[in-house]
Structure formats: C-alpha cells, structure tokens
Amino acid sequence: MTLTEPEPRTAVATHCPYCALQCGMSLTAGEGAEVEVAPRQFPTNAGGLCQKGWTSGSLLTSPARLTTPLIRLDGELRPASWDAALGLIAGKLAEIQARHGKDAVAVFGGGGLTNEKSYLLGKFARVALGTSQVDYNGRFCMSSAAAAGNRAFGLDRGLPFPLTDLADADVVLLVGANPAETMPPLVKHLERAKSLGGLIVADPRRTPTAEQANLHLTPSPGKDLALALGILHALVAESGVDQPYMDERTRGFSAVWRIASRWWPERAERVTGVSAADQRTVAAKLANARNAYILTARGAEQHATGADTVSAWINLALALGLPGKPGSGFGCLTGQGNGQGGREHGQKADQLPGYRKIDDPAAREHVARVWGVDPAEIPGPGRSAYELLDALGTADGPRALLVFGSNPVVSAPHSAHIADRLSTVEFLGCADLVLSETSALADVVLPVTQWAEEDGTMTNLEGRVLLRKRALDPPPGVRTDLDVLAGLATRLGQPAERFPTDAETVFDELRAASKGGLADYSGISYDRLRAGEALYWPVPEATHPGTPRMFLDRFAHPDGKARFVPVEHSGPAEPPDTEFPLQATTGRVLQHYQSGAQTRLVDELTEAVPEAFVEVHPDTAARAGLADGDWARIASRRGETVARVRCVPSMGIDLVFLPFHFPGAQRANLFTNPALDPTSRMPEFKVCAVKLSIVDGA
Ligand SMILES: Nc1nc2c(c(=O)[nH]1)N[C@H]1C(S)=C(S)[C@@H](COP(=O)(O)OP(=O)(O)OC[C@H]3O[C@@H](n4cnc5c(=O)[nH]c(N)nc54)[C@H](O)[C@@H]3O)O[C@H]1N2
Ligand SMILES: Nc1nc2c(c(=O)[nH]1)N[C@H]1C(S)=C(S)[C@@H](COP(=O)(O)OP(=O)(O)OC[C@H]3O[C@@H](n4cnc5c(=O)[nH]c(N)nc54)[C@H](O)[C@@H]3O)O[C@H]1N2
Ligand code: SF4
Ligand SMILES: [Mo]
C-alpha cells in the first residue's frame, strides 16, 4: 500500500453516546483527526439522528478532552502518572476509612455508564470500599418512574414494549415529555396517532412537541396529579373504564375511586388550569381508541410528589385496560443512554445487581456468592443522591467522594450548596472525559475512554440490550473506567481477578449476578448480541428469545395482578407568593445534553445555543423592566441565576422556563428546590417559586 492509496476505511456499527433512544449510527475513522458519523437503520431511530448525534464524533478528537491524570498540587491540577494518581486515591481513601469508618468514603455514578461499569462500580463500592454510600444521577432522573412502576406492576422497565409499537397507536398521551427536542427521531413513531387526531401533549409550555399535538393541555407545573384524577373521574362518569380488564388483571380500584370521585373535572380545572371540556375530550379519546398509550417523562416525574403523580397516570391507564394489552400500554421515557441498565445493576443505594433489593437476605446471599464474599460483608442501604451530596463533609457524612459519569455541580438541585459541600470533603476524585465543573474541583482527575473507544453494553429505553463495540483506538494515556476500578481495587487490597477489565468478562459476571432477579440478563451473551439478536430483558436462559412485550399474561406481583395505588393531589412544595410570584420550571433544549459538560465543547451546538435563556411571557418580562435579549436575574429563596430573556407569547404569565445545561452563574440549579419525594427521593426540579428582575449594571 502506498501513501497515495489510503487504507479503505471501514464503518463500524454503533450507537449514539447520548440519550436512551440509543440511535443506530456508524462511525468511520478519518485519516486525520476527524471521525465521520452517519445514521443507520435501527428501530428506535429509523435512520434518523438529532444534531447532538450527528456532531458526537467531534468530542472523540477534541483538544478539550483529558489525556493525562491530574493531581492537585498547590491548588492547581497538574499532570501526573497513572501510578501516582491511582496510588494517591487509594492511599487517601484507605486512610480516611481507617480514621472514620467505611462509610466515610462515598461513590457517585451515572446513568450514562455501560452496564459493565454500573455493575463494577456498585461492586467496587460494596466490596473494595465496603461502603453503603453509593448512589447515582439516575436518582434525579428515573427514580419516580421506577418507584411507581414497581408498586403498580411489580417491576420497572421504562417501556415494557418496543418503541415501534407506538407507530400503530390511534392515541398517544405524552405527559411532561418533549421528545421533539429530547429524542427527535422518536417523533416519527407518533405520526399515525397525529394523523388520526390522537396526539395529546400535557406540558405547561408550548414546546415543539406540543406544536405538533392535536390537543395541547397546559397544566401549571406540579399539578399533573390533579389532572390525572380529573380525567379518571371523567372516564368513570362516561362509563369509559374497561371493567372486565380491571376485574381480571388489577386490584385496588375502589380506594383510588374514593379519591378520584371527589375530583370532578371542574374541580381539577380550578387546580390545574386545564378545562373540564379538554379533560373530558382526553378521557373520551382514550376510551374510544383501539390502541392507546400513556407515556410520562420528567415533566410529570421530577417533583416532590413525582412517584404519586406517575401512579395517578398509571391508575388512569389501568382503568382504561392499557398495560399488558398488545398494541396499547403505559410507559415512562427513560432519559440517559443507559438510564435503564444503569438502574438495574447495583449503583443505586438500595440495590444489588439484577434489580435486587439490598435488604433482601436471599438477594444478598446470591450476589455474595457471585462476588466470593460473605453476605454479612455487603453493607446495607445508603443515602440517596441528594442526601448523599448534602451530607458530604458533615459530622456523620462521607469525607471523601469518587464521581464516575456525573457533573453534580451543574446538575444537582440547589447546586451552590452542593458545590459548597464538595469543597468541604477531604478528598474528591473524578473520572471523566473532559474537565467538567465537578472534576475541576477534584483533588485527582482520571482521564477515561469514550463510548467509541471501548466495548460495553447499554440497555435502551425499551429494555433492549445493545452491544457498543470498540470502533476506534483511544488516545494514548487514557484508560477505561473498568481499568480505573481495577487499578483502585487492587491497590485497596482486592485480588485482581475480582475486578476484571475486559468488558465481556464483566458482563458474564453480571449475567450470573442478575440470574433469577427481576432484570435477568443471564441468557444474554456478547455472542448473541454480536449475532444481531434483539434481546429485551428478562432473558433467563441462553435459548430464551427475550421479552419485547411484558405483562401480556401477568404482572410481576406474586398474584400476577397490577395494583391501583390510591394517591391524592398536594401540589408543588413551594407555591408562589407575593415575594416570589412566578413559577419556574427547568428542562432541556435540543442542542445540549444534561450538564452540558460534553455538548458545550461542540462548536456547532454552542454556536446554536451559546448561553442560558429564560422563556417568559412578554408582559411578564415588561413588568420586570425586561425586553427580549436582556439579561435577567431569576431568584428563589435558595439562590439566583442569570439568563438571557426570550419573550415567548405562548408562555403562561406566571411561568418561566430555563434549560439547566449551563455552568457558573447561569446554572438553573442555583434556584431549584431540593424538596425530595418521600418514596423515590427525587428532587423537585420542575417547579419552584421565583422572581424576575433586571441584572444591575447590564
Ligand atoms: N436534547 C437533549 N435531549 C435529552 C437530554 C438532554 O439533556 N438534552 N437528556 C436526556 C435525559 S437524561 C432525559 S431524563 C430526557 C428528558 O426528556 P423530557 O422529559 O422530554 O425533557 P425535559 O425538558 O426535562 O421535560 C419535559 C417537559 O416537561 C415540561 N414540564 C415542566 N414541568 C411540568 C409539569 O409539572 N407537568 C408537565 N406535564 N410537564 C412539565 C417542560 O416544560 C418540558 O417541556 O431527555 C433525554 N434527552
Ligand atoms: N434543573 C434541572 N436539573 C436537572 C434536570 C432537570 O430537568 N432540571 N434533570 C436531571 C436529570 S434527568 C439528569 S439525568 C441529570 C444529569 O446530569 P449529570 O449527572 O450531570 O449528567 P451529565 O451532564 O451527562 O454528566 C456526565 C458526566 O460524565 C462524563 N462522562 C460521560 N460518559 C462517561 C463515562 O463513560 N465514564 C465517565 N467516567 N464519565 C463519563 C461527562 O463528560 C460528564 O462530565 O441532571 C438532572 N438535573
Ligand atoms: S436522539 Fe438521542 S440517541 Fe438519537 S442521536 Fe439524538 S442524542 Fe443521540
Ligand atoms: Mo435524565
């Protein structure tokens, strides 16, 4: 081969690094620095990609990525060797634990980590560190959906059916979901419902998704539970319930009706702002549909009443007979790339692999056997994400923290307080691709490989397990998260074979650990995935075809029946008042991902949306002395944020919206409310009381 004849470049089939849609793409390594990304046919994206997916290759070769470990010396992060960095972390953690006990060290994971990483991280925390203090950012994401799914169905798989089933629906009700920005290729699957007049969106804002809806309901934030009760009332009043289904497949409707009977649509209208007529229309459309789906996302779930709110929508779905009926259903749209798998394999405070409960003696025994430890050595449940971060550096809280795959300085509620807590710990270690706002505070930062440079599996929003094969060589000097965990574990005295670094070997261990659990992966193998099999968990045997559609015959409770869960409306934890008269909600824009640590480094995305903005009704802006394009201050009882005014006439006059992707003074989380859901421990990201003013000197 001569220089003029470059080697033919082969495209490698993979999946997008970002959201739970896990769109199919192919990557081709360029001759120079570039990596070409192209969409490929895969059921969830049907050949489409969003702008984040199209531009995802640029971060692989970005000069901003980390390529050497960093150690803080005299206040500054300086390059160091791997041996020095890993040795320093292990030494510090061991010393802190010797002084203050095992729980003095905490671990924080992420729903973007592969199944193998999530699994090994949980094992690392429980076995190598012996700490109970491990949780992850999925607590801020899917915990309310999970809690409600578990209590209604006995099991939580976000979508218990393939996404493509939506394409045959006549009616789809989206509650607090904006897929036109958060999962754009998903919208294709809603075309039939839309063409039949059956696309209904409940969102306080007129989002790009709401624009496409046949009916847009605009509840004020935090009122969805009352809305669901009003619609259920209308359904019962108009005899729209599926009585034979309820009799055969469910339990507990009477307790739900005792509450819903008092929520006639006119009363729900006074509370939510959604007209009684619209509530009746929704009830009738759902009842008359041949195939219907109700789907929730973070708008309904990220509340201090999030779990109950999801339960209220599940109750409606059960009264309609949707869950477990072919061609119909209820689901929650999982957000992060591995937001589903990441909540199954033990990086959650109360959980062991296979979606097992950490306080269940049989579960502990099973997992201890796989890990080769005594069940008594596995710690009990620890603190939930916000409680863990909030306890850092306090008298009985953790004194050291390791972060893998999250940027809580930007993404945790009441984030100035969390940054404060992080600054009080004796030791902070982070593994990241880039210097995020959180890793910038660390004592040691470890540079890790990215999705295309390592093998691993992801479980998408449908519960389908996908193999993401290594497509490119990583830059010299970076290591995989699995390598990092092994390097730390062995330095903490663990036998090397307990922390394998080969993803397939870790997966085989995960299979054994999950065997017999709710999320049973034991029949899934890399070979089956390589052969292209579409495997949806549970897959309990090597010959089992997987479970694309769940609950067709029975739900996962011992008696096989779904549970209606009686829930009452209470509303936002912090209602507006004279001092803070507006309601703020937060969420996403198409171009940025989460804390923005990755997407803010992609030029095309930053050019499109360079800074934080606040959507506000023009009259509300004018009352505060603000015009479109001005910098505004948005203040709550906890703190204030600055953002550029975007006047949006469709906004409610008492509502503002901010994306949470921006750092520093533009962090929406400076004002958000860390009030927690009592069951799921989800913070109230989606509503709090604020006031709007001009920025002095602007
Ligand atoms: N572009 C982009 N896509 C993403 C992500 C990203 O950061 N950027 N993140 C991924 C992740 S992890 C997630 S979790 C998903 C989230 O996906 P979505 O849930 O679709 O996104 P959000 O913007 O958080 O919230 C959806 C909508 O909820 C509305 N809302 C706010 N309060 C309420 C309320 O009280 N009731 C109702 N009914 N609606 C309300 C907001 O106006 C918003 O339009 O997106 C995934 N995809
Ligand atoms: N106000 C407000 N706040 C919110 C939300 C909201 O709607 N409103 N939504 C919440 C939700 S749903 C979520 S999911 C969270 C997400 O918020 P975060 O947890 O902060 O999520 P990311 O920004 O994705 O952070 C991931 C970090 O890990 C790095 N990373 C990516 N892949 C890997 C990997 O494989 N290994 C390692 N070691 N690092 C990796 C990235 O570079 C980045 O720094 O935010 C929550 N915060
Ligand atoms: S929709 Fe999600 S998975 Fe698909 S390209 Fe966009 S970010 Fe990637
Ligand atoms: Mo999320």
Side-chain angles (χ1 to χ4, degrees):
M1 190 141 309
T2 67
L3 280 177
T4 49
E5 269 178 81
E7 227 175 292
R9 298 183 296 152
T10 45
V12 180
T14 184
H15 297 271
C16 176
Y18 299 119
C19 86
L21 209 54
Q22 285 296 291
C23 295
M25 54 166 63
S26 56
L27 286 186
T28 314
E31 284 145 57
E34 289 106 73
V35 177
E36 271 171 36
V37 171
R40 72 184 164 89
Q41 282 300 328
F42 186 72
T44 59
N45 61 308
L49 287 180
C50 81
Q51 201 179 356
K52 294 185 301 304
W54 274 109
T55 54
S56 58
S58 76
L59 212 56
L60 291 163
T61 52
S62 165
R65 74 178 290 187
L66 298 169
T67 52
T68 173
L70 303 170
I71 293 182
R72 191 171 298 280
L73 266 182
D74 305 324
E76 261 181 54
L77 286 170
R78 296 167 201 256
S81 72
W82 272 99
D83 205 40
L86 293 171
L88 179 62
I89 300 179
K92 278 279 184 190
L93 300 185
E95 185 230 318
I96 290 169
Q97 287 191 316
R99 269 191 285 126
H100 300 285
K102 298 286 189 200
D103 280 357
V105 173
V107 175
F108 201 87
L113 302 177
T114 60
N115 289 316
E116 292 79 359
K117 295 178 185 187
S118 311
Y119 168 79
L120 209 66
L121 189 67
K123 179 180 177 184
F124 173 81
R126 271 63 174 249
V127 176
L129 292 171
T131 180
S132 69
Q133 302 295 299
V134 50
D135 211 48
Y136 79 122
N137 70 5
R139 186 71 70 168
F140 297 156
C141 184
M142 297 310 295
S143 61
S144 290
N150 279 322
R151 61 191 183 192
F153 308 127
L155 180 150
D156 151 46
R157 201 181 87 187
L159 296 185
F161 46 80
L163 185 72
T164 44
D165 282 6
L166 296 177
D168 293 322
D170 333 306
V171 175
V172 178
L173 168 58
L174 293 172
V175 189
N178 181 17
E181 290 195 86
T182 55
M183 299 181 181
L186 182 153
V187 176
K188 277 196 201 114
H189 305 300
L190 306 175
E191 273 167 13
R192 179 167 189 274
K194 188 184 165 189
S195 70
L196 296 175
L199 182 59
I200 309 166
V201 172
D203 194 309
R205 299 187 299 138
R206 192 157 181 85
T207 60
T209 310
E211 280 295 339
Q212 301 190 36
N214 305 102
L215 178 59
H216 177 201
L217 313 174
T218 53
S220 81
K223 305 289 176 64
D224 293 72
L225 208 164
L227 180 61
L229 287 168
I231 297 173
L232 178 60
H233 187 107
L235 184 78
V236 173
E238 280 149 45
S239 309
V241 299
D242 185 341
Q243 197 62 49
Y245 171 98
M246 290 211 297
D247 294 343
E248 262 170 56
R249 304 213 53 191
T250 72
R251 291 173 60 169
F253 180 67
S254 56
V256 165
W257 180 243
R258 268 199 292 282
I259 297 171
S261 59
R262 295 195 302 269
W263 282 93
W264 47 95
E266 284 72 14
R267 180 179 171 206
E269 172 177 337
R270 281 196 299 279
V271 170
T272 65
V274 175
S275 75
D278 279 352
Q279 294 174 54
R280 294 195 171 95
T281 305
V282 175
K285 276 184 188 281
L286 285 165
N288 296 331
R290 202 168 41 83
N291 298 103
Y293 290 86
I294 299 177
L295 303 174
T296 68
R298 301 311 82 73
E301 301 162 11
Q302 287 173 322
H303 293 275
T305 54
D308 283 359
T309 300
V310 178
S311 286
W313 291 107
I314 294 178
N315 290 340
L316 176 66
L318 289 172
L320 287 156
L322 307 181
K325 188 145 92 189
S328 292
F330 174 87
C332 296
L333 295 168
T334 294
Q336 296 184 85
N338 197 29
Q340 180 68 54
R343 67 188 196 254
E344 300 162 359
H345 302 303
Q347 59 175 328
K348 202 172 173 187
D350 50 1
Q351 190 194 68
L352 289 174
Y355 226 135
R356 289 183 157 92
K357 291 204 173 78
I358 203 164
D359 53 8
D360 167 7
R364 296 170 64 85
E365 201 162 307
H366 171 84
V367 174
R369 213 171 22 249
V370 175
W371 287 352
V373 300
D374 183 335
E377 284 173 44
I378 300 179
R383 292 180 173 90
S384 77
Y386 183 78
E387 290 161 299
L388 190 159
L389 296 170
D390 182 41
L392 291 173
T394 60
D396 61 349
R399 292 162 189 257
L401 178 70
L402 292 181
V403 181
F404 286 77
S406 181
N407 185 12
V409 167
V410 176
S411 57
H414 200 188
S415 53
H417 169 68
I418 293 309
D420 238 30
R421 304 295 352 138
L422 285 166
S423 68
T424 65
V425 291
E426 288 180 39
F427 185 81
L428 175 63
C430 294
D432 207 315
L433 339 165
V434 295
L435 198 66
S436 72
E437 287 67 23
T438 305
S439 44
L441 300 181
D443 299 293
V444 178
V445 184
L446 302 172
V448 291
T449 47
Q450 296 191 41
W451 96 109
E453 300 159 350
E454 56 186 21
D455 289 324
T457 59
M458 306 286 279
T459 305
N460 77 359
L461 78 172
E462 318 161 294
R464 177 172 171 182
V465 181
L466 310 170
L467 180 60
R468 251 181 8 194
K469 286 178 288 216
R470 173 169 161 156
L472 309 162
D473 291 336
V478 306
R479 294 190 183 175
T480 67
D481 288 293
L482 300 180
D483 269 320
V484 169
L485 291 172
L488 290 175
T490 48
R491 283 171 177 80
L492 288 163
Q494 290 292 310
E497 61 278 9
R498 209 177 252 172
F499 287 88
T501 56
D502 169 59
E504 188 169 354
T505 310
V506 177
F507 188 78
D508 285 341
E509 192 184 305
L510 177 164
R511 294 167 61 187
S514 77
K515 190 171 180 57
L518 285 171
D520 190 331
Y521 283 44
S522 59
I524 306 175
S525 64
Y526 269 40
D527 279 342
R528 291 185 76 178
L529 296 172
R530 279 188 203 107
E533 280 194 71
L535 296 172
Y536 301 76
W537 69 256
V539 190
E541 302 292 337
T543 50
H544 189 284
T547 316
R549 293 177 189 82
M550 307 196 79
F551 313 139
L552 294 179
D553 304 316
R554 60 192 319 279
F555 293 97
H557 287 300
D559 63 2
K561 296 192 196 270
R563 301 285 186 276
F564 278 98
V565 176
V567 285
E568 180 55 284
H569 175 73
S570 59
E574 186 183 57
D577 55 22
T578 45
E579 198 187 350
F580 298 98
L582 304 175
Q583 293 197 293
T585 190
T586 62
R588 295 160 164 84
V589 295
L590 193 155
Q591 287 82 0
H592 286 292
Y593 191 65
Q594 315 275 59
S595 72
Q598 291 161 275
T599 48
R600 281 186 273 113
L601 297 171
V602 178
D603 292 344
E604 186 182 320
L605 302 176
T606 319
E607 277 157 26
V609 185
E611 62 205 2
F613 59 85
V614 51
E615 287 184 4
V616 53
H617 191 280
D619 294 349
T620 310
R623 259 202 311 281
L626 292 160
D628 202 64
D630 287 351
W631 281 98
R633 184 197 313 277
I634 301 90
S636 76
R637 285 184 177 79
R638 291 154 297 280
E640 55 185 54
T641 303
V642 293
R644 211 182 269 287
V645 172
R646 273 196 194 172
C647 286
V648 177
S650 60
M651 287 290 281
I653 50 162
D654 58 352
L655 180 68
V656 300
F657 167 83
L658 287 91
F660 76 102
H661 313 294
F662 299 92
Q666 299 181 19
R667 277 175 292 171
N669 278 318
L670 290 169
F671 66 71
T672 49
N673 187 355
L676 300 183
D677 183 292
T679 310
S680 65
R681 317 311 281 167
M682 167 72 85
E684 186 133 290
F685 285 119
K686 285 292 191 268
V687 55
C688 73
V690 298
K691 61 183 170 192
L692 191 66
S693 59
I694 49 180
V695 175
D696 303 325

